[in-house]
Amino acid sequence: MRRWLSRFHLANVAVVLAAPGLLASAVHAQSTMRFVGSFTLPCEASWAGAVLPAGDYTMKLASLSKDSFIRVDAVRGNASAYIPQWSTADKAGDKNVIFLTVSGKRCVVRALNLADLDMEIIYKPISREEMASLESGKPGRMLALVVAKH
């Protein structure tokens, strides 16, 4: 019995000693994120090959390199995606915004402007024909979703 208690005590001591290290690594991982924010998709959206249902999402960007990804996770449910950072340009405005076009019940993410990082990521440029259609008032519209920074 005493041997079992000693093993039990040693196991608990090991957990207590390891806990601060695990907590520190979790805090470090959070602090290395370049951008963390949230947004709400009003409709099912196609975004760089991923299809995300309408709803509330969080996004995390760990690196500014073009070969890294943005992690997008549903607040409720299990929808998530890793979105690549394709073509980047200088920021297009002074807000963190997702630009998308809406046609019926479907959305297409066109660009992500991260003013806090001085960059815009272009996923699907708007063609001249699409711009003319949007400007003429034909069905379909452009939305700008504000991304709340955390």
Side-chain angles (χ1 to χ4, degrees):
M1 179 80 159
R2 189 171 200 181
R3 177 180 278 168
W4 180 83
L5 284 175
S6 294
R7 287 184 187 160
F8 179 76
H9 180 70
L10 286 174
N12 283 339
V13 168
V15 168
V16 168
L17 291 175
L22 293 173
L23 180 61
S25 64
V27 168
H28 176 70
Q30 181 67 21
S31 68
T32 61
M33 289 291 162
R34 298 298 304 253
F35 184 87
V36 177
S38 61
F39 61 93
T40 300
L41 287 174
C43 54
E44 181 180 89
S46 173
W47 189 351
V51 177
L52 299 169
D56 298 325
Y57 289 86
T58 60
M59 65 185 308
K60 297 177 182 174
L61 172 65
S63 169
L64 298 181
S65 70
K66 289 183 182 179
D67 59 348
S68 65
F69 290 85
I70 299 169
R71 182 178 172 130
V72 177
D73 292 302
V75 173
R76 290 177 211 81
N78 58 1
S80 65
Y82 286 91
I83 308 296
Q85 293 185 52
W86 288 341
S87 170
T88 60
D90 292 336
K91 69 178 180 178
D94 60 353
K95 294 183 179 177
N96 301 312
V97 177
I98 297 172
F99 294 103
L100 44 88
T101 51
V102 181
S103 180
K105 295 182 180 181
R106 299 281 323 253
C107 300
V108 176
V109 174
R110 299 306 186 119
L112 171 63
N113 186 68
L114 295 174
D116 291 347
L117 301 176
D118 290 326
M119 66 185 284
E120 181 179 36
I121 304 167
I122 301 167
Y123 292 99
K124 187 173 182 183
I126 295 176
S127 68
R128 287 187 178 138
E129 294 81 20
E130 289 172 314
M131 186 57 76
S133 177
L134 288 169
E135 290 171 348
S136 71
K138 290 184 180 176
R141 64 185 193 272
M142 177 73 93
L143 286 180
L145 304 177
V146 175
V147 178
K149 185 177 178 186
H150 296 268

